[in-house]
Amino acid sequence: QVQLVEFGGGLVQVGGSLRLSCEASGSTYSIAAMGWYRQAPGKEREMVAVVGIGGTTTYADSVKGRFTISTDNAKKWVYLQMNSLKPEDTAVYYCNAQVGPHSYLMPYWGQGTQVTVSL
């Protein structure tokens, strides 16, 4: 079992920056990958950025060049630095961990943190 808790959401003006943090606890040794997803009202949850198996990073096209994901070596923390924020970045942001053997990964989610970008 892995527990995820997000920190750092809030209200920011267009063009501003926010840094989200997520702390993993429990069986963190079994985490294979970590990432951030978001869900805006009336829309499906979408991938924002992930650090995959082997440390490769993947970003949604909409955030490339503006957002940066990073983790600590122990995979107990994952961060999302968000710069040049736009109103369309407004959403609930969820931390995600893929847990287990690579042949049978299970997703775990945090409770979510609201990010609101105002004009």
Side-chain angles (χ1 to χ4, degrees), residues 23-106:
E23 182 181 17
S25 60
S27 303
T28 57
Y29 60 87
S30 60
I31 293 176
M34 299 186 78
W36 291 93
Y37 290 68
R38 67 186 181 188
Q39 188 167 18
K43 295 188 176 181
E44 293 186 354
R45 191 173 297 187
E46 63 175 0
M47 185 274 292
V48 176
V50 297
V51 180
I53 297 168
T56 57
T57 56
T58 303
Y59 294 92
D61 288 343
S62 58
V63 307
K64 282 180 182 176
R66 300 188 298 122
F67 290 12
T68 303
I69 189 171
S70 60
T71 65
D72 68 330
N73 289 335
K75 285 198 176 70
K76 291 188 176 181
W77 287 90
V78 61
Y79 308 97
L80 186 67
Q81 178 65 43
M82 305 186 293
N83 299 326
S84 302
L85 283 161
K86 305 175 179 180
E88 51 264 41
D89 295 318
T90 295
V92 177
Y93 283 70
Y94 296 91
C95 179
N96 168 269
Q98 298 292 322
V99 178
H102 295 177
S103 59
Y104 192 70
L105 292 171
M106 292 287 290

